[in-house]
Amino acid sequence: MFIFITKAYNPKINKEFNSEVKELQVNKNLKIYFLKVNKIIPLEKNILKAINLIQNNKDITHIVFTSQNGSVLFFDFIYKNKLNDIIDILRTKEFLTVGSKTAQSIKKNGFDNIIYPSKFLTSNLADLIININKNSSKKLYFLILRSKISNPELINKLKKAKVKFKEVHIYTLKPNNRFKKTKEYKILKILLKLKDNSNLYDYDIIEKNTKEKIYLIFTSPSNSKTFFRYFKIEKLITNQKVKFLPIGPITAKEIQNYFKKHYRNKNIENINLNQKILKFPE
């Protein structure tokens, strides 16, 4: 079984990335490859802006991270620039994260006051913030540190619930212009028979496993969009070996839209998306 996972990547979070790889490679029957389709670009001026807000605005009670990328880049900036004073202030705040991975990355920096929802989804994080705010006897102020291209669902829900918050974009994503030169890109191209198999050192592994299933795991809408710049949806849909596995409802909707557009162009109705798109376990 071949598994390809779309990934946004930055060398500064290389350690976190490598630990994920080791966790997934326990089963030797799984051939796992990360497709580094996007680059994570820190917005250092905005990170500094967030730090200044934390230092100068005593009303801020909670720091919110919607991804592991954001938390790693935030603390990397603090320690790289020796901003030790901010650490003491952060110890007086509560942290909220979208899931356990993000919480773990914060805990590694010596913080235990971290809460995250039971389901690791943005909508559930929004509900958690709303409930904390509603049940608090004092006024709360949430500083949300996230990507510039984040889905607006979180912000829309908080505005509707009249939660007091400030959003700061501390990083963004851009297509990885070296993606086509990566080993993982070439392997997937060969497996899909879209490119000849010359000059690839994993060719022997591929040749023995050409009939195995190929699972494409999509980790975000932005990674999905970049992926489809390189791999045409019509080629993937018609390949019987390929299955799609989007993580989260927003990413699932993004993948479904690619399917629907393809079938609409082919004038095909009453399609069963479940045949190709698998549902990520709750």
Side-chain angles (χ1 to χ4, degrees), residues 189-226:
K189 280 287 188 180
I190 291 172
L191 287 170
L192 296 172
K193 297 182 179 179
L194 300 179
K195 192 176 180 70
D196 84 46
N197 47 33
S198 59
N199 300 321
L200 188 68
Y201 44 88
D202 263 13
Y203 172 66
D204 289 339
I205 297 174
I206 294 172
E207 183 67 20
K208 296 172 186 176
N209 297 281
T210 51
K211 293 184 180 180
E212 288 194 31
K213 292 288 185 185
I214 301 169
Y215 291 87
L216 303 175
I217 299 180
F218 296 91
T219 53
S220 72
S222 56
N223 287 338
S224 305
K225 288 175 183 176
T226 306

Side-chain angles (χ1 to χ4, degrees), residues 59-63 92-94 138-142:
D59 291 339
I60 294 172
T61 55
H62 293 75
I63 313 296
T92 68
K93 312 297 181 185
E94 294 281 344
K138 63 178 183 178
K139 291 183 180 181
L140 303 181
Y141 189 10
F142 300 83

